[in-house]
Amino acid sequence: MTETTFTKAQLAQFDGKDGNKAYVAIDGIVYDLTNVDQWATGRHHGKLAGQDLSVVIDHTPHKRTVLDKLTAVGKYIG
């Protein structure tokens, strides 16, 4: 089985809008947020799905503790 890789442009397509899945990249791993209620609109506390959130996650209240609860769907190669 091959692992899916995402470029910046490919990740941007997963913005959680108009029926698209909601994905974010953190430290080179792409996570699926589609079924996370807080990300239902593709936005959560001003952060947008379809982006690399590696820098901003450490400035959120939950920090990286939520990552273990998410499904990784591939690697982010930027």
Side-chain angles (χ1 to χ4, degrees), residues 1-54:
M1 182 170 143
T2 60
E3 185 169 77
T4 303
T5 57
F6 295 84
T7 63
K8 183 176 182 177
Q10 289 169 323
L11 181 64
Q13 296 174 32
F14 296 91
D15 60 3
K17 297 177 184 173
D18 300 322
N20 294 330
K21 290 184 177 276
Y23 290 177
V24 298
I26 299 173
D27 297 335
I29 299 173
V30 177
Y31 294 94
D32 186 347
L33 304 173
T34 304
N35 295 318
V36 177
D37 290 342
Q38 294 87 339
W39 284 90
T41 63
R43 174 186 290 261
H44 177 55
H45 292 292
K47 311 304 182 274
L48 302 175
Q51 298 184 2
D52 182 353
L53 299 182
S54 300

mmCIF file of all heavy atoms in Angstrom, residues 1-54:
data_model
loop_
_atom_site.group_PDB
_atom_site.id
_atom_site.type_symbol
_atom_site.label_atom_id
_atom_site.label_comp_id
_atom_site.label_asym_id
_atom_site.label_seq_id
_atom_site.Cartn_x
_atom_site.Cartn_y
_atom_site.Cartn_z
ATOM 1 N N MET A 1 0.847 -1.197 0.000
ATOM 2 C CA MET A 1 0.000 0.000 0.000
ATOM 3 C C MET A 1 0.882 1.246 0.000
ATOM 4 O O MET A 1 1.799 1.359 0.801
ATOM 5 C CB MET A 1 -0.888 -0.030 1.245
ATOM 6 C CG MET A 1 -1.832 1.112 1.349
ATOM 7 S SD MET A 1 -2.994 0.797 2.697
ATOM 8 C CE MET A 1 -3.152 2.411 3.324
ATOM 9 N N THR A 2 0.615 2.161 -0.908
ATOM 10 C CA THR A 2 1.400 3.385 -0.965
ATOM 11 C C THR A 2 0.764 4.459 -0.091
ATOM 12 O O THR A 2 -0.456 4.508 0.056
ATOM 13 C CB THR A 2 1.499 3.907 -2.412
ATOM 14 O OG1 THR A 2 0.188 4.160 -2.895
ATOM 15 C CG2 THR A 2 2.198 2.906 -3.305
ATOM 16 N N GLU A 3 1.614 5.266 0.494
ATOM 17 C CA GLU A 3 1.116 6.338 1.339
ATOM 18 C C GLU A 3 0.834 7.567 0.480
ATOM 19 O O GLU A 3 1.620 7.904 -0.400
ATOM 20 C CB GLU A 3 2.134 6.666 2.423
ATOM 21 C CG GLU A 3 1.605 7.682 3.404
ATOM 22 C CD GLU A 3 2.503 7.806 4.611
ATOM 23 O OE1 GLU A 3 3.552 8.439 4.491
ATOM 24 O OE2 GLU A 3 2.134 7.255 5.653
ATOM 25 N N THR A 4 -0.255 8.217 0.751
ATOM 26 C CA THR A 4 -0.630 9.413 0.013
ATOM 27 C C THR A 4 0.242 10.579 0.452
ATOM 28 O O THR A 4 0.474 10.769 1.642
ATOM 29 C CB THR A 4 -2.109 9.752 0.263
ATOM 30 O OG1 THR A 4 -2.907 8.627 -0.114
ATOM 31 C CG2 THR A 4 -2.547 10.962 -0.528
ATOM 32 N N THR A 5 0.707 11.356 -0.509
ATOM 33 C CA THR A 5 1.444 12.573 -0.196
ATOM 34 C C THR A 5 0.645 13.758 -0.723
ATOM 35 O O THR A 5 -0.088 13.646 -1.704
ATOM 36 C CB THR A 5 2.851 12.575 -0.817
ATOM 37 O OG1 THR A 5 2.736 12.400 -2.227
ATOM 38 C CG2 THR A 5 3.721 11.470 -0.225
ATOM 39 N N PHE A 6 0.787 14.872 -0.042
ATOM 40 C CA PHE A 6 0.052 16.085 -0.374
ATOM 41 C C PHE A 6 1.010 17.249 -0.558
ATOM 42 O O PHE A 6 1.840 17.510 0.312
ATOM 43 C CB PHE A 6 -0.928 16.457 0.755
ATOM 44 C CG PHE A 6 -2.025 15.463 0.978
ATOM 45 C CD1 PHE A 6 -1.821 14.345 1.773
ATOM 46 C CD2 PHE A 6 -3.275 15.648 0.413
ATOM 47 C CE1 PHE A 6 -2.832 13.421 1.986
ATOM 48 C CE2 PHE A 6 -4.299 14.740 0.623
ATOM 49 C CZ PHE A 6 -4.077 13.621 1.412
ATOM 50 N N THR A 7 0.872 17.950 -1.677
ATOM 51 C CA THR A 7 1.566 19.215 -1.866
ATOM 52 C C THR A 7 0.701 20.305 -1.219
ATOM 53 O O THR A 7 -0.446 20.050 -0.815
ATOM 54 C CB THR A 7 1.740 19.538 -3.360
ATOM 55 O OG1 THR A 7 0.435 19.700 -3.940
ATOM 56 C CG2 THR A 7 2.521 18.442 -4.080
ATOM 57 N N LYS A 8 1.221 21.504 -1.170
ATOM 58 C CA LYS A 8 0.453 22.625 -0.628
ATOM 59 C C LYS A 8 -0.847 22.813 -1.410
ATOM 60 O O LYS A 8 -1.916 23.002 -0.826
ATOM 61 C CB LYS A 8 1.294 23.903 -0.664
ATOM 62 C CG LYS A 8 0.621 25.089 -0.060
ATOM 63 C CD LYS A 8 1.548 26.294 -0.031
ATOM 64 C CE LYS A 8 0.850 27.472 0.639
ATOM 65 N NZ LYS A 8 1.737 28.635 0.737
ATOM 66 N N ALA A 9 -0.763 22.744 -2.738
ATOM 67 C CA ALA A 9 -1.953 22.930 -3.591
ATOM 68 C C ALA A 9 -2.958 21.802 -3.396
ATOM 69 O O ALA A 9 -4.167 22.034 -3.379
ATOM 70 C CB ALA A 9 -1.540 23.024 -5.056
ATOM 71 N N GLN A 10 -2.478 20.579 -3.247
ATOM 72 C CA GLN A 10 -3.387 19.445 -3.042
ATOM 73 C C GLN A 10 -4.074 19.541 -1.686
ATOM 74 O O GLN A 10 -5.277 19.314 -1.572
ATOM 75 C CB GLN A 10 -2.621 18.128 -3.154
ATOM 76 C CG GLN A 10 -2.189 17.816 -4.569
ATOM 77 C CD GLN A 10 -1.210 16.674 -4.638
ATOM 78 O OE1 GLN A 10 -0.349 16.507 -3.777
ATOM 79 N NE2 GLN A 10 -1.343 15.860 -5.684
ATOM 80 N N LEU A 11 -3.327 19.884 -0.654
ATOM 81 C CA LEU A 11 -3.908 20.018 0.681
ATOM 82 C C LEU A 11 -4.980 21.103 0.696
ATOM 83 O O LEU A 11 -6.026 20.939 1.328
ATOM 84 C CB LEU A 11 -2.818 20.336 1.705
ATOM 85 C CG LEU A 11 -3.281 20.479 3.152
ATOM 86 C CD1 LEU A 11 -3.852 19.169 3.681
ATOM 87 C CD2 LEU A 11 -2.129 20.952 4.031
ATOM 88 N N ALA A 12 -4.752 22.179 -0.020
ATOM 89 C CA ALA A 12 -5.702 23.300 -0.052
ATOM 90 C C ALA A 12 -7.077 22.887 -0.560
ATOM 91 O O ALA A 12 -8.083 23.523 -0.233
ATOM 92 C CB ALA A 12 -5.141 24.433 -0.917
ATOM 93 N N GLN A 13 -7.151 21.821 -1.332
ATOM 94 C CA GLN A 13 -8.438 21.348 -1.840
ATOM 95 C C GLN A 13 -9.306 20.742 -0.737
ATOM 96 O O GLN A 13 -10.519 20.638 -0.884
ATOM 97 C CB GLN A 13 -8.205 20.311 -2.935
ATOM 98 C CG GLN A 13 -7.518 20.869 -4.148
ATOM 99 C CD GLN A 13 -7.182 19.795 -5.154
ATOM 100 O OE1 GLN A 13 -7.894 18.807 -5.287
ATOM 101 N NE2 GLN A 13 -6.074 19.976 -5.858
ATOM 102 N N PHE A 14 -8.705 20.369 0.376
ATOM 103 C CA PHE A 14 -9.422 19.743 1.490
ATOM 104 C C PHE A 14 -9.727 20.801 2.550
ATOM 105 O O PHE A 14 -9.269 20.733 3.684
ATOM 106 C CB PHE A 14 -8.599 18.584 2.058
ATOM 107 C CG PHE A 14 -8.424 17.473 1.060
ATOM 108 C CD1 PHE A 14 -7.343 17.453 0.202
ATOM 109 C CD2 PHE A 14 -9.370 16.463 0.967
ATOM 110 C CE1 PHE A 14 -7.188 16.433 -0.741
ATOM 111 C CE2 PHE A 14 -9.228 15.442 0.036
ATOM 112 C CZ PHE A 14 -8.141 15.435 -0.822
ATOM 113 N N ASP A 15 -10.545 21.778 2.146
ATOM 114 C CA ASP A 15 -10.829 22.939 2.982
ATOM 115 C C ASP A 15 -12.100 22.810 3.819
ATOM 116 O O ASP A 15 -12.482 23.731 4.535
ATOM 117 C CB ASP A 15 -10.906 24.198 2.126
ATOM 118 C CG ASP A 15 -12.001 24.133 1.067
ATOM 119 O OD1 ASP A 15 -12.761 23.132 1.020
ATOM 120 O OD2 ASP A 15 -12.091 25.087 0.271
ATOM 121 N N GLY A 16 -12.794 21.683 3.717
ATOM 122 C CA GLY A 16 -13.999 21.469 4.521
ATOM 123 C C GLY A 16 -15.221 22.222 4.030
ATOM 124 O O GLY A 16 -16.256 22.235 4.683
ATOM 125 N N LYS A 17 -15.141 22.826 2.863
ATOM 126 C CA LYS A 17 -16.255 23.610 2.326
ATOM 127 C C LYS A 17 -16.904 22.883 1.155
ATOM 128 O O LYS A 17 -16.247 22.116 0.453
ATOM 129 C CB LYS A 17 -15.762 24.971 1.850
ATOM 130 C CG LYS A 17 -15.188 25.823 2.956
ATOM 131 C CD LYS A 17 -14.664 27.112 2.397
ATOM 132 C CE LYS A 17 -14.002 27.924 3.495
ATOM 133 N NZ LYS A 17 -13.343 29.103 2.955
ATOM 134 N N ASP A 18 -18.179 23.133 0.957
ATOM 135 C CA ASP A 18 -18.913 22.611 -0.204
ATOM 136 C C ASP A 18 -18.770 21.102 -0.379
ATOM 137 O O ASP A 18 -18.574 20.602 -1.478
ATOM 138 C CB ASP A 18 -18.465 23.323 -1.491
ATOM 139 C CG ASP A 18 -18.701 24.823 -1.432
ATOM 140 O OD1 ASP A 18 -19.745 25.236 -0.880
ATOM 141 O OD2 ASP A 18 -17.845 25.583 -1.919
ATOM 142 N N GLY A 19 -18.822 20.382 0.724
ATOM 143 C CA GLY A 19 -18.748 18.924 0.670
ATOM 144 C C GLY A 19 -17.341 18.349 0.654
ATOM 145 O O GLY A 19 -17.171 17.127 0.655
ATOM 146 N N ASN A 20 -16.319 19.206 0.638
ATOM 147 C CA ASN A 20 -14.939 18.724 0.678
ATOM 148 C C ASN A 20 -14.587 18.224 2.075
ATOM 149 O O ASN A 20 -15.095 18.739 3.066
ATOM 150 C CB ASN A 20 -13.954 19.843 0.321
ATOM 151 C CG ASN A 20 -14.088 20.299 -1.101
ATOM 152 O OD1 ASN A 20 -14.464 19.532 -1.974
ATOM 153 N ND2 ASN A 20 -13.790 21.567 -1.346
ATOM 154 N N LYS A 21 -13.701 17.256 2.143
ATOM 155 C CA LYS A 21 -13.185 16.823 3.432
ATOM 156 C C LYS A 21 -12.323 17.941 4.006
ATOM 157 O O LYS A 21 -11.864 18.820 3.280
ATOM 158 C CB LYS A 21 -12.361 15.549 3.271
ATOM 159 C CG LYS A 21 -13.209 14.336 2.916
ATOM 160 C CD LYS A 21 -12.350 13.092 2.870
ATOM 161 C CE LYS A 21 -13.201 11.877 2.592
ATOM 162 N NZ LYS A 21 -13.818 11.322 3.773
ATOM 163 N N ALA A 22 -12.121 17.890 5.334
ATOM 164 C CA ALA A 22 -11.303 18.893 6.014
ATOM 165 C C ALA A 22 -10.021 18.236 6.505
ATOM 166 O O ALA A 22 -10.055 17.396 7.406
ATOM 167 C CB ALA A 22 -12.077 19.491 7.189
ATOM 168 N N TYR A 23 -8.902 18.608 5.900
ATOM 169 C CA TYR A 23 -7.595 18.081 6.282
ATOM 170 C C TYR A 23 -6.694 19.231 6.718
ATOM 171 O O TYR A 23 -6.798 20.345 6.193
ATOM 172 C CB TYR A 23 -6.903 17.402 5.099
ATOM 173 C CG TYR A 23 -7.482 16.103 4.613
ATOM 174 C CD1 TYR A 23 -6.930 15.472 3.508
ATOM 175 C CD2 TYR A 23 -8.574 15.478 5.218
ATOM 176 C CE1 TYR A 23 -7.428 14.276 3.012
ATOM 177 C CE2 TYR A 23 -9.084 14.295 4.741
ATOM 178 C CZ TYR A 23 -8.512 13.690 3.640
ATOM 179 O OH TYR A 23 -9.007 12.513 3.153
ATOM 180 N N VAL A 24 -5.789 18.944 7.639
ATOM 181 C CA VAL A 24 -4.719 19.881 7.988
ATOM 182 C C VAL A 24 -3.420 19.103 8.087
ATOM 183 O O VAL A 24 -3.421 17.901 8.358
ATOM 184 C CB VAL A 24 -4.970 20.633 9.315
ATOM 185 C CG1 VAL A 24 -6.221 21.487 9.232
ATOM 186 C CG2 VAL A 24 -5.036 19.700 10.500
ATOM 187 N N ALA A 25 -2.321 19.802 7.877
ATOM 188 C CA ALA A 25 -1.000 19.198 8.025
ATOM 189 C C ALA A 25 -0.354 19.732 9.291
ATOM 190 O O ALA A 25 -0.469 20.922 9.598
ATOM 191 C CB ALA A 25 -0.129 19.530 6.822
ATOM 192 N N ILE A 26 0.284 18.822 10.020
ATOM 193 C CA ILE A 26 1.045 19.208 11.205
ATOM 194 C C ILE A 26 2.306 18.359 11.227
ATOM 195 O O ILE A 26 2.234 17.127 11.244
ATOM 196 C CB ILE A 26 0.230 19.035 12.495
ATOM 197 C CG1 ILE A 26 -1.002 19.934 12.443
ATOM 198 C CG2 ILE A 26 1.097 19.334 13.723
ATOM 199 C CD1 ILE A 26 -1.971 19.769 13.551
ATOM 200 N N ASP A 27 3.434 19.040 11.196
ATOM 201 C CA ASP A 27 4.738 18.375 11.225
ATOM 202 C C ASP A 27 4.872 17.279 10.180
ATOM 203 O O ASP A 27 5.356 16.189 10.459
ATOM 204 C CB ASP A 27 5.027 17.821 12.618
ATOM 205 C CG ASP A 27 5.129 18.911 13.667
ATOM 206 O OD1 ASP A 27 5.451 20.059 13.313
ATOM 207 O OD2 ASP A 27 4.866 18.618 14.850
ATOM 208 N N GLY A 28 4.404 17.558 8.968
ATOM 209 C CA GLY A 28 4.569 16.636 7.865
ATOM 210 C C GLY A 28 3.542 15.520 7.781
ATOM 211 O O GLY A 28 3.613 14.674 6.895
ATOM 212 N N ILE A 29 2.583 15.518 8.678
ATOM 213 C CA ILE A 29 1.520 14.508 8.658
ATOM 214 C C ILE A 29 0.198 15.207 8.375
ATOM 215 O O ILE A 29 -0.096 16.257 8.951
ATOM 216 C CB ILE A 29 1.441 13.748 9.997
ATOM 217 C CG1 ILE A 29 2.758 13.038 10.258
ATOM 218 C CG2 ILE A 29 0.275 12.747 9.989
ATOM 219 C CD1 ILE A 29 2.861 12.404 11.631
ATOM 220 N N VAL A 30 -0.601 14.629 7.486
ATOM 221 C CA VAL A 30 -1.911 15.190 7.148
ATOM 222 C C VAL A 30 -2.972 14.445 7.947
ATOM 223 O O VAL A 30 -3.023 13.207 7.933
ATOM 224 C CB VAL A 30 -2.200 15.087 5.636
ATOM 225 C CG1 VAL A 30 -3.591 15.616 5.317
ATOM 226 C CG2 VAL A 30 -1.148 15.853 4.852
ATOM 227 N N TYR A 31 -3.801 15.205 8.655
ATOM 228 C CA TYR A 31 -4.856 14.654 9.509
ATOM 229 C C TYR A 31 -6.232 14.999 8.941
ATOM 230 O O TYR A 31 -6.441 16.100 8.428
ATOM 231 C CB TYR A 31 -4.752 15.231 10.924
ATOM 232 C CG TYR A 31 -3.508 14.821 11.651
ATOM 233 C CD1 TYR A 31 -2.373 15.624 11.639
ATOM 234 C CD2 TYR A 31 -3.447 13.626 12.363
ATOM 235 C CE1 TYR A 31 -1.224 15.262 12.308
ATOM 236 C CE2 TYR A 31 -2.300 13.246 13.039
ATOM 237 C CZ TYR A 31 -1.194 14.066 13.005
ATOM 238 O OH TYR A 31 -0.048 13.696 13.678
ATOM 239 N N ASP A 32 -7.168 14.076 9.095
ATOM 240 C CA ASP A 32 -8.547 14.257 8.654
ATOM 241 C C ASP A 32 -9.384 14.798 9.798
ATOM 242 O O ASP A 32 -9.524 14.143 10.837
ATOM 243 C CB ASP A 32 -9.103 12.912 8.178
ATOM 244 C CG ASP A 32 -10.489 13.018 7.565
ATOM 245 O OD1 ASP A 32 -11.146 14.069 7.705
ATOM 246 O OD2 ASP A 32 -10.914 12.024 6.945
ATOM 247 N N LEU A 33 -9.940 15.989 9.620
ATOM 248 C CA LEU A 33 -10.784 16.633 10.636
ATOM 249 C C LEU A 33 -12.248 16.644 10.215
ATOM 250 O O LEU A 33 -13.078 17.281 10.861
ATOM 251 C CB LEU A 33 -10.326 18.083 10.854
ATOM 252 C CG LEU A 33 -8.867 18.276 11.237
ATOM 253 C CD1 LEU A 33 -8.526 19.751 11.249
ATOM 254 C CD2 LEU A 33 -8.581 17.653 12.574
ATOM 255 N N THR A 34 -12.567 15.942 9.142
ATOM 256 C CA THR A 34 -13.897 15.986 8.551
ATOM 257 C C THR A 34 -15.008 15.697 9.550
ATOM 258 O O THR A 34 -16.037 16.364 9.536
ATOM 259 C CB THR A 34 -13.981 14.988 7.374
ATOM 260 O OG1 THR A 34 -12.939 15.296 6.445
ATOM 261 C CG2 THR A 34 -15.335 15.066 6.685
ATOM 262 N N ASN A 35 -14.818 14.734 10.426
ATOM 263 C CA ASN A 35 -15.869 14.347 11.370
ATOM 264 C C ASN A 35 -15.711 14.983 12.748
ATOM 265 O O ASN A 35 -16.372 14.561 13.704
ATOM 266 C CB ASN A 35 -15.918 12.826 11.487
ATOM 267 C CG ASN A 35 -16.342 12.199 10.170
ATOM 268 O OD1 ASN A 35 -17.242 12.682 9.499
ATOM 269 N ND2 ASN A 35 -15.674 11.129 9.788
ATOM 270 N N VAL A 36 -14.867 15.990 12.850
ATOM 271 C CA VAL A 36 -14.707 16.729 14.101
ATOM 272 C C VAL A 36 -15.687 17.892 14.067
ATOM 273 O O VAL A 36 -15.572 18.778 13.211
ATOM 274 C CB VAL A 36 -13.250 17.226 14.268
ATOM 275 C CG1 VAL A 36 -13.118 18.047 15.543
ATOM 276 C CG2 VAL A 36 -12.285 16.048 14.261
ATOM 277 N N ASP A 37 -16.662 17.870 14.961
ATOM 278 C CA ASP A 37 -17.738 18.871 14.935
ATOM 279 C C ASP A 37 -17.225 20.311 14.879
ATOM 280 O O ASP A 37 -17.787 21.148 14.179
ATOM 281 C CB ASP A 37 -18.652 18.715 16.150
ATOM 282 C CG ASP A 37 -19.499 17.459 16.085
ATOM 283 O OD1 ASP A 37 -19.645 16.884 14.980
ATOM 284 O OD2 ASP A 37 -20.009 17.039 17.136
ATOM 285 N N GLN A 38 -16.163 20.608 15.605
ATOM 286 C CA GLN A 38 -15.642 21.967 15.653
ATOM 287 C C GLN A 38 -15.111 22.436 14.297
ATOM 288 O O GLN A 38 -14.954 23.628 14.062
ATOM 289 C CB GLN A 38 -14.514 22.081 16.694
ATOM 290 C CG GLN A 38 -14.977 21.883 18.114
ATOM 291 C CD GLN A 38 -14.979 20.423 18.546
ATOM 292 O OE1 GLN A 38 -14.999 19.501 17.735
ATOM 293 N NE2 GLN A 38 -14.971 20.195 19.852
ATOM 294 N N TRP A 39 -14.826 21.509 13.399
ATOM 295 C CA TRP A 39 -14.296 21.836 12.075
ATOM 296 C C TRP A 39 -15.355 21.663 10.980
ATOM 297 O O TRP A 39 -15.029 21.648 9.790
ATOM 298 C CB TRP A 39 -13.086 20.954 11.753
ATOM 299 C CG TRP A 39 -11.867 21.380 12.481
ATOM 300 C CD1 TRP A 39 -11.448 20.951 13.711
ATOM 301 C CD2 TRP A 39 -10.895 22.321 12.045
ATOM 302 N NE1 TRP A 39 -10.279 21.572 14.050
ATOM 303 C CE2 TRP A 39 -9.921 22.417 13.045
ATOM 304 C CE3 TRP A 39 -10.757 23.091 10.890
ATOM 305 C CZ2 TRP A 39 -8.816 23.252 12.937
ATOM 306 C CZ3 TRP A 39 -9.661 23.921 10.776
ATOM 307 C CH2 TRP A 39 -8.707 23.997 11.795
ATOM 308 N N ALA A 40 -16.624 21.571 11.343
ATOM 309 C CA ALA A 40 -17.708 21.294 10.391
ATOM 310 C C ALA A 40 -17.765 22.287 9.234
ATOM 311 O O ALA A 40 -18.146 21.937 8.126
ATOM 312 C CB ALA A 40 -19.049 21.252 11.110
ATOM 313 N N THR A 41 -17.363 23.515 9.465
ATOM 314 C CA THR A 41 -17.407 24.533 8.410
ATOM 315 C C THR A 41 -16.046 24.742 7.741
ATOM 316 O O THR A 41 -15.895 25.639 6.915
ATOM 317 C CB THR A 41 -17.869 25.882 8.985
ATOM 318 O OG1 THR A 41 -16.904 26.325 9.945
ATOM 319 C CG2 THR A 41 -19.244 25.770 9.623
ATOM 320 N N GLY A 42 -15.060 23.931 8.128
ATOM 321 C CA GLY A 42 -13.719 24.105 7.578
ATOM 322 C C GLY A 42 -12.916 25.172 8.298
ATOM 323 O O GLY A 42 -11.832 25.541 7.884
ATOM 324 N N ARG A 43 -13.461 25.635 9.409
ATOM 325 C CA ARG A 43 -12.816 26.696 10.193
ATOM 326 C C ARG A 43 -13.013 26.395 11.682
ATOM 327 O O ARG A 43 -14.071 25.946 12.089
ATOM 328 C CB ARG A 43 -13.464 28.034 9.850
ATOM 329 C CG ARG A 43 -13.000 29.201 10.670
ATOM 330 C CD ARG A 43 -13.813 30.448 10.353
ATOM 331 N NE ARG A 43 -13.502 30.940 9.028
ATOM 332 C CZ ARG A 43 -12.653 31.943 8.792
ATOM 333 N NH1 ARG A 43 -12.070 32.549 9.784
ATOM 334 N NH2 ARG A 43 -12.428 32.338 7.558
ATOM 335 N N HIS A 44 -11.986 26.672 12.462
ATOM 336 C CA HIS A 44 -12.076 26.466 13.911
ATOM 337 C C HIS A 44 -11.197 27.509 14.588
ATOM 338 O O HIS A 44 -9.980 27.541 14.367
ATOM 339 C CB HIS A 44 -11.629 25.048 14.266
ATOM 340 C CG HIS A 44 -11.620 24.734 15.724
ATOM 341 N ND1 HIS A 44 -12.719 24.891 16.530
ATOM 342 C CD2 HIS A 44 -10.641 24.244 16.521
ATOM 343 C CE1 HIS A 44 -12.416 24.511 17.759
ATOM 344 N NE2 HIS A 44 -11.157 24.126 17.779
ATOM 345 N N HIS A 45 -11.807 28.381 15.365
ATOM 346 C CA HIS A 45 -11.092 29.457 16.070
ATOM 347 C C HIS A 45 -10.153 30.229 15.149
ATOM 348 O O HIS A 45 -9.003 30.503 15.491
ATOM 349 C CB HIS A 45 -10.311 28.916 17.274
ATOM 350 C CG HIS A 45 -11.190 28.419 18.375
ATOM 351 N ND1 HIS A 45 -11.977 29.255 19.139
ATOM 352 C CD2 HIS A 45 -11.414 27.169 18.824
ATOM 353 C CE1 HIS A 45 -12.643 28.543 20.023
ATOM 354 N NE2 HIS A 45 -12.325 27.271 19.853
ATOM 355 N N GLY A 46 -10.643 30.560 13.950
ATOM 356 C CA GLY A 46 -9.873 31.352 13.013
ATOM 357 C C GLY A 46 -8.857 30.574 12.187
ATOM 358 O O GLY A 46 -8.232 31.124 11.289
ATOM 359 N N LYS A 47 -8.688 29.303 12.475
ATOM 360 C CA LYS A 47 -7.783 28.452 11.688
ATOM 361 C C LYS A 47 -8.584 27.804 10.576
ATOM 362 O O LYS A 47 -9.744 27.467 10.749
ATOM 363 C CB LYS A 47 -7.150 27.357 12.553
ATOM 364 C CG LYS A 47 -6.544 27.819 13.870
ATOM 365 C CD LYS A 47 -5.524 28.898 13.703
ATOM 366 C CE LYS A 47 -4.903 29.301 15.007
ATOM 367 N NZ LYS A 47 -5.616 30.308 15.753
ATOM 368 N N LEU A 48 -7.959 27.596 9.418
ATOM 369 C CA LEU A 48 -8.655 27.068 8.259
ATOM 370 C C LEU A 48 -8.136 25.690 7.875
ATOM 371 O O LEU A 48 -6.921 25.451 7.899
ATOM 372 C CB LEU A 48 -8.480 28.006 7.067
ATOM 373 C CG LEU A 48 -8.970 29.439 7.257
ATOM 374 C CD1 LEU A 48 -8.610 30.278 6.047
ATOM 375 C CD2 LEU A 48 -10.457 29.467 7.511
ATOM 376 N N ALA A 49 -9.055 24.812 7.516
ATOM 377 C CA ALA A 49 -8.677 23.504 6.988
ATOM 378 C C ALA A 49 -8.016 23.702 5.627
ATOM 379 O O ALA A 49 -8.195 24.725 4.978
ATOM 380 C CB ALA A 49 -9.910 22.615 6.861
ATOM 381 N N GLY A 50 -7.252 22.712 5.216
ATOM 382 C CA GLY A 50 -6.567 22.788 3.941
ATOM 383 C C GLY A 50 -5.217 23.468 4.030
ATOM 384 O O GLY A 50 -4.626 23.822 3.009
ATOM 385 N N GLN A 51 -4.720 23.634 5.249
ATOM 386 C CA GLN A 51 -3.462 24.346 5.451
ATOM 387 C C GLN A 51 -2.524 23.575 6.371
ATOM 388 O O GLN A 51 -2.936 22.673 7.097
ATOM 389 C CB GLN A 51 -3.724 25.719 6.062
ATOM 390 C CG GLN A 51 -4.538 26.616 5.191
ATOM 391 C CD GLN A 51 -4.685 28.002 5.791
ATOM 392 O OE1 GLN A 51 -4.153 28.317 6.843
ATOM 393 N NE2 GLN A 51 -5.423 28.852 5.102
ATOM 394 N N ASP A 52 -1.271 23.996 6.366
ATOM 395 C CA ASP A 52 -0.269 23.485 7.293
ATOM 396 C C ASP A 52 -0.381 24.311 8.579
ATOM 397 O O ASP A 52 -0.137 25.515 8.564
ATOM 398 C CB ASP A 52 1.127 23.627 6.686
ATOM 399 C CG ASP A 52 2.225 23.072 7.581
ATOM 400 O OD1 ASP A 52 1.954 22.685 8.735
ATOM 401 O OD2 ASP A 52 3.374 23.029 7.110
ATOM 402 N N LEU A 53 -0.778 23.671 9.663
ATOM 403 C CA LEU A 53 -0.961 24.370 10.932
ATOM 404 C C LEU A 53 0.142 24.035 11.939
ATOM 405 O O LEU A 53 -0.032 24.203 13.145
ATOM 406 C CB LEU A 53 -2.338 24.040 11.521
ATOM 407 C CG LEU A 53 -3.539 24.439 10.653
ATOM 408 C CD1 LEU A 53 -4.842 24.101 11.369
ATOM 409 C CD2 LEU A 53 -3.486 25.915 10.294
ATOM 410 N N SER A 54 1.283 23.589 11.455
ATOM 411 C CA SER A 54 2.394 23.199 12.327
ATOM 412 C C SER A 54 2.823 24.314 13.270
ATOM 413 O O SER A 54 3.107 24.066 14.440
ATOM 414 C CB SER A 54 3.608 22.763 11.499
ATOM 415 O OG SER A 54 3.297 21.663 10.689
#
